[in-house]
Amino acid sequence: MSDPTGVLFMAYGGPDSLSDIGGYLADIRSGRTTPRSVLEAITYNYKRIGGRSPLRERTQETIDAVMRKLEGEGFRAYLGMRHWAPWIEETVGQMIDDGIKRAISIVMAPHYSRLSVAKYQQKITHGLRMYRGSIEFRHINSYYDAPGLIEALAGRVHEGIKRWPEAERAEVHVVFSAHSLPARILQYGDPYEQQLLETARRVAVEANVPRCRWSWSWQSAGRSAEPWLGPQLDEHLKALAAQHITQVVSVPVGFVSDHVEVLYDIDIKAQSVARRCGMRLERPPALNDDPIFTRQLAAIVYAEAMEAGWLN
């Protein structure tokens, strides 16, 4: 029997408790001091969603569902987080200890950016250096147009619209969104925005939502002085209300798991804005361990291993 192929699933990470938030932010900020106002604001956000991040559990559920579909194919799954335990570098060290010689990496973010997916891949390189090991990695850079991703997101659009009576569904507007990044990514031709807009367009077509009934917004911009991609979701909702659009489904296509950027930024913060605007805002669950989505991830991993000649 041949050696197993490692599959390193990676996600952003999040604090396991309120007491972890200081260390979590220090990791994100590369050790720079976090202003008290930022620490208090982030702590408040996590208090509102239960005092911790559910991202690790949601990601593990996704991984488990993917691996059930790859069972018997010689794969071994690992989880690494960019900014919290289990850190990517430490997971790479575990892979080295386990004797893994070849592996596929995939980020739980379908869209590529030098400021996102590339940073995860750099962590793998750091881990190999730190633990003085050698693993042949093949990186899946993006899967923004994967048919299963589009189909699963279109299903979420339908699920959201069906929360209205049938006679009112034709008036429901869909807002697609993703995590904002610094606007400077546009200066060097980063594909992030283009990939996201293409995902939104394909999902709208798959869900049979006409162009006049969907729009795009950014969300969850960082707390820094430089300009970030906009408009932000809160302002976009106000603009829609000014156009007398008051029935809205939020589908954050840039996230595949329920975590703080949706549980707080949409379900609490944006929801509050919507209520003040006299708007009904609904958000169906993130994909998490959706069977269509996880079947697609399994197919992507399998195809990558097949292309590498790693399957018997």
Side-chain angles (χ1 to χ4, degrees), residues 83 99 101 149 154 222-223 226 228 232 254 256 260 275 292:
H83 289 300
K101 300 300 182 183
L149 173 72
R223 293 170 169 83
E226 67 178 317
W228 287 62
Q232 291 295 298
V256 300
V260 70
R275 284 195 296 268
I292 297 173

Side-chain angles (χ1 to χ4, degrees), residues 5 20 29 31 93 100 104 125 129 219 258 269 272 278 293 297:
T5 296
D20 290 331
R29 296 170 59 83
I100 298 294
I104 294 165
T125 300
R129 291 173 181 168
Q219 63 169 94
D258 283 313
K269 185 180 177 184
S272 177
F293 172 59
L297 291 185

